[in-house]
Amino acid sequence: MHKRATKQETELRVAHAAELVAEGQAYSSITSLVAAKYGISRRRARQITSSAYLLLKNDIEEGDLNRPEMTAKLLCTLETAMYRAMREKQYSAVASNAKVLMKLIGLEAKIKS
């Protein structure tokens, strides 16, 4: 039976995942790296990766950042990640990054409820 991570351990894991996000790693790559490094399930690693994205999102929203500059940086990072993923035939990573890119530039599909 695995012991549960403490709040501090979880925060460190989220911070590590956030660093990977900031480096431009793909969501699926971060999930795999976090699962392997901490010996946790992919499901838990996905939760940590999602928390990392939220952490960065909140930091950006609370900070006084130049939005056009940040958007341009994110676009470049996503395009680079997609290019590298295509070269390595990591098509799920390409799709994940394309989805984020489409949301960022406003091309996401509008779903009617």
Side-chain angles (χ1 to χ4, degrees):
M1 179 135 221
H2 294 282
K3 87 171 182 76
R4 292 179 54 93
T6 65
K7 184 175 180 179
Q8 183 179 13
E9 289 172 328
T10 300
E11 288 173 354
L12 288 172
R13 292 173 182 182
V14 170
H16 175 245
E19 288 176 19
L20 297 173
V21 171
E23 289 174 4
Q25 295 276 343
Y27 184 92
S28 59
S29 297
I30 296 168
T31 299
S32 297
L33 290 169
V34 168
K37 180 172 182 170
Y38 299 107
I40 58 177
S41 69
R42 285 194 55 83
R43 180 177 183 210
R44 183 65 187 127
R46 281 192 300 273
Q47 292 170 338
I48 288 171
T49 303
S50 293
S51 295
Y53 274 89
L54 287 174
L55 176 68
L56 289 176
K57 176 187 164 281
N58 292 337
D59 284 350
I60 290 169
E61 287 177 352
E62 291 173 9
D64 185 22
L65 297 174
N66 180 335
R67 286 197 183 270
E69 182 180 314
M70 180 57 74
T71 302
K73 183 176 181 181
L74 286 171
L75 284 170
C76 290
T77 301
L78 287 167
E79 289 173 346
T80 300
M82 288 172 65
Y83 172 75
R84 289 180 180 161
M86 285 291 286
R87 262 194 348 215
E88 296 178 19
K89 298 184 173 145
Q90 298 282 333
Y91 301 117
S92 63
V94 174
S96 296
N97 284 317
K99 185 176 178 180
V100 172
L101 183 62
M102 288 173 63
K103 280 184 180 180
L104 184 63
I105 61 176
L107 293 177
E108 65 185 322
K110 304 291 185 214
I111 300 173
K112 298 191 183 211
S113 324

